[in-house]
Amino acid sequence: MLKKILHGIDKLSESVGKLDSFILIFIIFITFYEVVARYFIGKPTSWSNELSSHGFAIYMTLGGAFVLLKKGHVSMDILSSRFRPRLKALIDILTCFLGISFLMVLTLRGGARAIDAIFTNEHSTSVWGQTMIPFRLCLPVGCALFLLQYVANLVRSLLVLIKGETYIGY
């Protein structure tokens, strides 16, 4: 049962990460359009810079769980690769608690900010004036997914530490 739950969390992180990659393609097209409009047509847009920066914020927040799943964050593998599995698991548990603590604060604070944006119907103060609700929602959603992946990694590390089991991977 535990393996199925861990697999489900990994699958969710993988799916969101793959969908998230299309946001980067969207940002590239927006930037390309702005370059053509500005330098070749002579009519720059008032919305492309803001949309691409908000798109990148969404890309970064929703991609965190996928990067954690794929072990793509910066780590000291030179040292930890020499450790025994249980010592490595203990170090992973400590770093999981740090990550989980930070992400809980971000999720709660970002969630409060998103709720505020929904109730006040927050809009950008720029000329474009688009709604800020999707951009405010991406932080708590992305952090919650990231948090979920951290919990899955914590459970795996605890199994290694307590039972000496090998990594239950995706």
Side-chain angles (χ1 to χ4, degrees), residues 2 12-13 21 31 61 68 71 75 83 88 90 107 110 116 155:
L2 183 61
L12 178 63
S13 294
S21 65
T31 305
T61 55
L68 183 63
K71 299 191 182 313
S75 64
F83 296 154
K88 188 175 180 182
L90 181 63
T107 303
D116 185 51
V155 169

Side-chain angles (χ1 to χ4, degrees), residues 5 26 32 39 58 79-80 82-83 99 103 109 124-125 128 142 157 166:
I5 293 170
F26 179 69
F32 177 76
Y39 296 108
I58 292 172
L79 298 175
S80 63
R82 298 178 187 188
F83 296 154
L103 287 167
R109 292 291 188 111
S124 169
T125 58
W128 187 31
S157 295
T166 57

Side-chain angles (χ1 to χ4, degrees), residues 32-135:
F32 177 76
Y33 179 81
E34 174 62 19
V35 168
V36 170
R38 179 178 300 265
Y39 296 108
F40 295 107
I41 302 172
K43 293 188 179 194
T45 64
S46 61
W47 50 266
S48 66
N49 186 37
E50 192 168 9
L51 184 59
S52 62
S53 64
H54 287 186
F56 192 70
I58 292 172
Y59 171 74
M60 293 302 290
T61 55
L62 292 180
F66 177 77
V67 175
L68 183 63
L69 172 68
K70 299 298 183 180
K71 299 191 182 313
H73 290 106
V74 176
S75 64
M76 296 299 295
D77 292 340
I78 295 170
L79 298 175
S80 63
S81 64
R82 298 178 187 188
F83 296 154
R84 293 180 313 244
R86 285 191 167 159
L87 178 59
K88 188 175 180 182
L90 181 63
I91 292 169
D92 287 344
I93 289 167
L94 294 174
T95 58
C96 278
F97 278 119
L98 290 172
I100 287 169
S101 300
F102 178 70
L103 287 167
M104 285 177 69
V105 171
L106 275 178
T107 303
L108 293 173
R109 292 291 188 111
R113 179 77 177 162
I115 290 168
D116 185 51
I118 291 168
F119 285 121
T120 62
N121 195 21
E122 183 181 0
H123 281 72
S124 169
T125 58
S126 70
V127 174
W128 187 31
Q130 87 282 1
T131 181
M132 294 298 290
I133 295 170
F135 307 111

